[in-house]
Amino acid sequence: MTVYRWTNYDQYKSAVTCVREYYDAVHRCHELALQQLVPQKCELALDIACGHGESTQILKPFANSIVGVDSSEDLIDIANSQNEDPAVRYVCSTFADFDAADESIDLISAAWYWNHVHTAEDLEAAAVKIASLLRPGGSVAFVIPGDSFTSRRIQSIAREDFQWRQAWTHEEREWTEGLFSYDDTWIQTKIWQPFFLMKFFREWFDLSTWDVKGTLVREERLSGLVAEPPFEILYGKRR
C-alpha cells in the first residue's frame, strides 16, 4: 500500500487563500457535473482517492450512502475524525484491493486519482473494475489535471503562489510524467492527456467534458483565480 504522510494537507488547503479558491472552483464544477449526471438521489456512491474526505462530502446530495476509499492511512484517519455522518464511511485501501460486489454501486467518482495510475495496463484494470462495480446505467465523474497542468506558466504560479513544486521528467504524446510536492514529500505522478483518457475509456464509459471555463466566467470566479483552470471534469455513464 502507498502511504502519503500528508498529515497537514487539509489545513494547508484551507490556509493558503489561492489554494482554497482553486479547490473551490474544482469542487463547484464537479458538483455541477454531478447535478446534471445524477438528477435524482441514488442509493450508493463510491469516492476513489477520497483523501481526507473533502471530495466525499460533495457526493452527499447525490447518494443515500457513500464509501470513500484511499490508500493513505493518515488521510483516512483525518476523514474519520471529521466524519459525523453515519451514511458515510471510509476505507483505507488501494482501489485495486477494494472489495465490493459487482453491479452494487450507482455512482463512482474519482478526483485526482488517474494521475496516480502510471501504466496503460493499470488504467485498463481500474476502468474494468469501475465498470464491473457499477449497476447498469451507473454514473462516473472524474476530476483530472488538464493540458495546462504541466506548463511553465502553471509551474511558476505553483511555486510562487501555491508553494508547490513540480519536476516534469518525461513527456510523450499521451502523457507527461514527473514529481510534485507541497511539503517534504515528493509524489510520482503521470498527467494523462484528457482526450487520450476519453478515447481510452470509451469501451466502458460514454463520457463528456464539463465546461469548466464557462462555469467560472458565469459564476464570476475569475477574480480569485491566478491562471486558467488546469483541470478537467470527465463525466458520463457506464456503457
Side-chain angles (χ1 to χ4, degrees):
M1 181 184 301
T2 301
V3 178
Y4 301 144
R5 301 199 172 279
W6 290 4
T7 53
N8 64 332
Y9 189 48
D10 56 334
Q11 290 92 342
Y12 165 77
K13 286 169 68 175
S14 298
V16 181
T17 300
C18 57
V19 176
R20 180 69 269 156
E21 290 171 340
Y22 167 76
Y23 276 104
D24 284 347
V26 173
H27 294 157
R28 179 56 175 161
C29 292
H30 192 188
E31 177 187 29
L32 289 172
L34 287 167
Q35 287 178 9
Q36 183 164 314
L37 187 62
V38 190
Q40 295 182 331
K41 209 170 189 180
C42 66
E43 187 57 37
L44 178 61
L46 173 66
D47 184 22
I48 304 173
C50 66
H52 61 80
E54 192 170 25
S55 59
T56 314
Q57 298 302 308
I58 296 172
L59 303 183
K60 290 175 71 172
F62 305 101
N64 292 322
S65 300
I66 306 167
V67 178
V69 60
D70 198 283
S71 62
S72 168
E73 295 174 358
D74 292 322
L75 293 178
I76 288 294
D77 285 345
I78 295 170
N80 280 319
S81 70
Q82 296 176 343
N83 182 36
E84 299 179 353
D85 190 339
V88 178
R89 68 182 181 92
Y90 295 100
V91 177
C92 186
S93 171
T94 64
F95 178 58
D97 293 333
F98 175 71
D99 187 29
D102 286 352
E103 298 190 349
S104 62
I105 300 173
D106 301 287
L107 167 64
I108 295 182
S109 180
W112 315 118
Y113 167 65
W114 295 109
N115 48 296
H116 296 293
V117 180
H118 296 152
T119 69
E121 291 77 15
D122 288 341
L123 278 182
E124 180 174 352
V128 168
K129 182 167 185 174
I130 290 171
S132 70
L133 292 177
L134 284 171
R135 293 191 174 102
S139 304
V140 294
F142 306 139
V143 181
I144 63 169
D147 287 335
S148 67
F149 191 84
T150 61
S151 68
R152 291 184 180 180
R153 181 186 298 275
I154 294 299
Q155 289 181 57
S156 176
I157 290 170
R159 287 193 302 269
E160 296 171 6
D161 296 331
F162 284 25
Q163 290 80 57
W164 288 348
R165 292 173 292 168
Q166 301 176 346
W168 302 110
T169 58
H170 195 63
E171 186 174 66
E172 296 288 346
R173 292 175 60 183
E174 298 167 342
W175 48 263
T176 301
E177 191 172 60
L179 304 169
F180 76 95
S181 175
Y182 89 100
D183 56 11
D184 294 327
T185 304
W186 284 90
I187 304 300
Q188 185 178 1
T189 190
K190 198 162 194 173
I191 309 304
W192 301 93
Q193 289 292 311
F195 274 3
F196 166 74
L197 287 182
M198 292 189 74
K199 289 188 292 184
F200 191 91
F201 289 151
R202 64 186 173 189
E203 179 177 346
W204 305 281
F205 314 113
D206 182 14
L207 295 175
S208 300
T209 58
W210 187 256
D211 181 10
V212 170
K213 292 181 181 179
T215 296
L216 302 184
V217 170
R218 287 191 298 273
E219 298 200 350
E220 299 182 349
R221 293 175 177 266
L222 299 184
S223 61
L225 300 177
V226 294
E228 290 191 9
F231 67 93
E232 300 281 354
I233 311 289
L234 309 184
Y235 69 108
K237 298 285 186 179
R238 187 191 108 171
R239 288 191 183 274

